[in-house]
Amino acid sequence: MDSEPSTGPARHYDRGGWLAQFTGHILVVCPRCGGCALVLPRPGLPERKYVNELLYQPRRLACRECGAVTDWEPEVRDAGLAAAAPGGTEDPFFRRPLWLQTRCVGQILWAYNEEHVNELSAYVGATLREHGASPKRAMLTRLPRWMNRSDNRSDVLAGLEKLRVLAQRSAPADRSDAAHERGDRPQPYRALYFRGGPYESTS
């Protein structure tokens, strides 16, 4: 027997996840052709144990349109590898404009990938929002005020739907007019990964 559909408020429970958890793969604008390129951890890396390791893993940018490929290594600082700093409209590794950007209520709405879009949609669309543990770097507690306003909800959800459609496209002609460099980078993390670990370059 089918259960009755819920008539209660849409709920979202925030478990305090970091923005870093969505950096496993990032859609960016290709530096060569302007199409959609993908930023991923380089092949052959050891399996990670913690989410924050994503900020230290060497990366590869590969374009699905023109075949461009380039690599990134974490910065060596003092006794360790410096963490990349996620946030803003550029990817934290190659500093390329994000592919998923659109204009929304006079602001720029962005996401790293479709999973990120889905999480934002679930939160923005909820009329009842519950927060569990809220660590300092929790993503949803740090969203800009305009995304949290109830009178912006329908516009933000429409913008997220545009990003969801963009995630399925890759040609240079599909690029959003909002997807360009702004230099809106966050302050770098001061966290270090101990030298000699699995992500240190041996070249």
Side-chain angles (χ1 to χ4, degrees):
M1 181 177 176
D2 294 336
S3 60
E4 292 294 324
S6 173
T7 57
R11 291 173 176 253
H12 182 278
Y13 182 76
D14 176 17
R15 300 182 183 279
W18 291 14
L19 177 60
Q21 75 188 58
F22 298 103
T23 62
H25 70 282
I26 303 175
L27 304 177
V28 301
V29 176
C30 175
R32 181 192 291 175
C33 74
C36 182
L38 187 60
V39 174
L40 289 167
R42 280 223 300 270
L45 295 176
E47 185 176 349
R48 64 176 176 83
K49 296 180 180 178
Y50 306 104
V51 167
N52 70 329
E53 291 182 50
L54 286 167
L55 302 179
Y56 303 91
Q57 289 181 317
R59 296 289 173 133
R60 175 161 293 168
L61 182 155
C63 180
R64 61 179 82 175
E65 288 294 303
C66 71
V69 175
T70 186
D71 289 337
W72 173 89
E73 293 279 351
E75 175 190 348
V76 176
R77 187 186 303 161
D78 299 324
L81 304 177
T89 60
E90 299 173 1
D91 87 273
F93 307 101
F94 296 91
R95 298 304 186 185
R96 294 298 304 154
L98 298 176
W99 180 256
L100 300 183
Q101 297 189 59
T102 190
R103 302 183 193 281
C104 182
V105 296
Q107 307 290 335
I108 299 298
L109 181 62
W110 57 267
Y112 286 148
N113 52 48
E114 196 168 7
E115 181 187 4
H116 190 188
V117 172
N118 291 340
E119 178 66 13
L120 292 173
S121 293
Y123 176 77
V124 172
T127 53
L128 180 60
R129 299 167 181 169
E130 300 174 286
H131 296 275
S134 296
K136 183 178 179 181
R137 294 178 188 155
M139 178 184 73
L140 295 177
T141 58
R142 297 165 64 88
L143 290 179
R145 191 171 299 174
W146 61 269
M147 288 187 68
N148 284 302
R149 290 181 53 170
S150 60
D151 55 340
N152 286 341
R153 180 178 289 124
S154 61
D155 290 321
V156 175
L157 288 173
L160 290 166
E161 186 57 33
K162 290 181 182 178
L163 298 188
R164 190 174 283 110
V165 171
L166 271 174
Q168 305 304 316
R169 298 177 177 174
S170 60
D174 295 325
R175 178 179 176 178
S176 167
D177 68 344
H180 58 79
E181 295 181 22
R182 293 184 183 81
D184 57 343
R185 302 173 185 175
Q187 290 296 315
Y189 287 175
R190 299 189 182 278
L192 296 176
Y193 195 90
F194 182 68
R195 291 288 299 280
Y199 306 127
E200 183 177 7
S201 173
T202 57
S203 59

